[in-house]
Amino acid sequence: MDGNGRWAHGKGLERLNGHERGAEAVRDCVKGCRELGVEYLTLYAFSTENWKRPKAEVMGLMKLLERFISKELPELNAQGVRLQTIGRTSDLPESTRAALSGAIESTAANTGLTLVLALSYSSRVEIVDAVQSLAREVQAGRLNPAAIDEAAIARHLYTRDYPDPELLIRTSGEMRLSNFLLWQLSYTEFYITDTLWPDFRKDDLYEAVRAFGKRQRRFGGI
Ligand code: FPP
């Protein structure tokens, strides 16, 4: 969800105003995904690298997330959205963790759309965590190293319960992955748009899905 800062700067506003407007884009895209029948939507909301930002911006983002959850929870439930997170959420402030765990519990039985928020997320850290977890199983004698295959690694990633993404949308024209789902995106289709995230709406999502529909996916075959 890139471009919040640039959107705000372009309007002479504070960066946090861009994030606030970005939360409106989240609301609209969740509705769009429900309409399209998308089963999983993963939003890269906060990376481990984002902790390097000024404290006021970091805290502003955490409070925004808390407000978003408390305001949107009834609507998420009404739309059958199940909320989940990936990342080292233990790094988040206590009040943010409490808001998240309340919403995760409240939406746990919903079956419409799984909305996964990547928070304090780093794909390399995720892979490190998976390797450590596999090594512990080997050390305990529960896993033969020769049995470590792609499926075993996938089972140890934070995303173990979700399918690999079919489509990656990156806003604001940036052409990099920024430490996002490096393993999982191996055969994902990329869609890059110059639209800044705060301006991204359902129509832009439909456009991305239309473009995805025209792709020929060969997964390395012919
Ligand atoms: C990247 O844009 C965006 C973020 C680091 C934060 C994303 C958070 C939101 C959209 C807030 C709401 C989230 C939820 C889940 C309710 P940037 O700040 O790096 O933009 P720039 O590259 O233009 O500076």
Side-chain angles (χ1 to χ4, degrees):
M1 299 188 286
D2 205 7
N4 298 352
R6 275 163 285 168
W7 181 91
H9 187 253
K11 297 202 154 25
L13 300 169
E14 299 291 327
R15 293 179 59 81
L16 272 171
N17 296 123
H19 297 315
E20 275 160 22
R21 181 67 184 253
E24 289 173 32
V26 171
R27 190 178 308 123
D28 207 52
C29 287
V30 168
K31 277 204 195 99
C33 283
R34 286 293 290 124
E35 290 166 12
L36 287 164
V38 170
E39 290 178 70
Y40 293 87
L41 170 66
T42 303
L43 297 175
Y44 200 6
F46 196 84
S47 71
T48 48
E49 290 79 13
N50 289 152
W51 290 112
K52 290 188 286 202
R53 293 188 178 203
K55 198 164 176 231
E57 182 175 347
V58 170
M59 287 320 292
L61 270 169
M62 296 301 149
K63 290 292 158 202
L64 173 59
L65 187 57
E66 291 171 28
R67 282 202 305 281
F68 179 88
I69 290 169
S70 105
K71 190 159 167 242
E72 295 300 317
L73 188 57
E75 185 58 27
L76 292 176
N77 270 318
Q79 290 184 47
V81 176
R82 177 174 72 126
L83 186 75
Q84 305 259 283
T85 59
I86 52 172
R88 287 195 172 167
T89 46
S90 55
D91 297 342
L92 302 178
E94 168 59 33
S95 53
T96 313
R97 278 188 281 140
L100 282 166
S101 59
I104 290 168
E105 206 181 300
S106 156
T107 61
N110 293 340
T111 55
L113 163 75
T114 299
L115 171 61
V116 184
L117 299 182
L119 290 164
S120 197
Y121 177 83
S122 149
S123 185
R124 287 184 172 182
V125 169
E126 176 182 31
I127 291 168
V128 168
D129 284 349
V131 170
Q132 287 188 357
S133 167
L134 284 161
R136 278 192 299 272
E137 288 198 13
V138 170
Q139 193 177 37
R142 288 195 301 270
L143 181 65
N144 179 348
I148 300 176
D149 55 8
E150 289 187 20
I153 291 175
R155 271 198 306 277
H156 286 77
L157 295 171
Y158 306 153
T159 51
R160 62 183 72 85
D161 296 325
Y162 319 131
D164 286 344
E166 292 185 283
L167 171 65
L168 171 87
I169 300 173
R170 179 149 194 172
T171 52
S172 88
E174 300 292 356
M175 302 278 184
R176 55 176 178 269
L177 281 179
S178 300
N179 208 357
F180 187 56
L181 301 177
L182 302 179
W183 172 279
Q184 298 87 340
L185 294 176
S186 295
Y187 279 101
T188 298
E189 296 294 325
F190 285 17
Y191 179 87
I192 312 240
T193 170
D194 286 335
T195 303
L196 302 175
W197 177 254
D199 288 329
F200 196 88
R201 289 292 179 275
K202 274 195 305 192
D203 287 350
D204 302 285
L205 177 75
Y206 294 158
E207 190 53 45
V209 170
R210 254 194 300 273
F212 169 78
K214 292 188 190 135
R215 302 276 175 91
Q216 282 199 347
R217 305 187 75 200
R218 291 185 293 277
F219 300 95
I222 53 170

